């Protein structure tokens, strides 16, 4: 999703001369440059969050494979991911993003992170 957003930003940079000077959205008036800057920041932030999540998941898999994964590390990592993706999905809903796909993906990522948190806590209490 973030890669698509960044590709759209690149496309809009190339074809920005075809746009009118401003675009009106419900309750807001933006010019084209502000929209591109906002989309670029959102795409970069989403990419960074996704990269950190990927690194944490890979570290958990490697530690689990080597039998060095501690239950506290698993619970803290899952808690961090749950907070970050939960905040992302709440911000997506609060900002009234007209893209339903972004809202659904944000909720799916938050729910899967919460599910991983539940699994981490079950893993902790089994030990």
């Amino acid at each position: 999703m973030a890669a698509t957003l960044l590709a759209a930003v690149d496309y809009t940079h190339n074809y920005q001369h075809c746009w009118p000077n401003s675009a009106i959205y419900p309750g807001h008036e933006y010019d084209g440059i502000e929209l591109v800057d906002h989309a670029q920041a959102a795409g970069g932030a989403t990419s960074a969050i996704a990269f950190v999540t990927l690194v944490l998941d890979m570290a958990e898999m490697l530690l689990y494979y080597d039998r060095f994964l501690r239950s506290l590390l698993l619970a803290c990592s899952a808690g961090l991911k749950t907070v970050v993706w939960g905040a992302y999905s709440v911000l997506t809903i609060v900002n009234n993003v007209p893209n339903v796909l972004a809202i659904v993906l944000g909720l799916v990522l938050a729910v899967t992170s919460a599910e991983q948190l539940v699994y981490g806590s079950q893993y902790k209490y089994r030990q």
Side-chain angles (χ1 to χ4, degrees), residues 4-88:
T4 305
L5 186 58
L6 291 174
V9 166
D10 184 50
Y11 177 81
T12 53
H13 271 296
N14 293 336
Y15 294 100
Q16 191 172 12
H17 63 278
C18 301
W19 293 5
N21 287 338
S22 65
I24 298 175
Y25 291 93
H28 303 287
E29 184 174 335
Y30 299 103
D31 72 2
I33 295 172
E34 288 176 346
L35 283 174
V36 169
D37 290 342
H38 177 70
Q40 192 171 15
T46 307
S47 295
I49 293 170
F51 180 74
V52 169
T53 300
L54 180 67
V55 168
L56 286 173
D57 286 341
M58 291 175 70
E60 289 171 7
M61 286 187 284
L62 289 173
L63 290 172
Y64 183 78
Y65 177 75
D66 290 338
R67 304 277 187 218
F68 289 120
L69 182 63
R70 301 286 178 240
S71 58
L72 183 62
L73 177 65
L74 180 63
C76 288
S77 173
L80 176 69
K81 290 183 280 190
T82 302
V83 167
V84 169
W85 286 116
Y88 172 78

Side-chain angles (χ1 to χ4, degrees), residues 10 13 45 57 60 64 78 84 93 96-97 99 104 122-123 125:
D10 184 50
H13 271 296
D57 286 341
E60 289 171 7
Y64 183 78
V84 169
I93 293 169
N96 295 324
V97 175
N99 188 353
V104 169
Q122 288 175 347
Y123 182 75
Y125 289 112

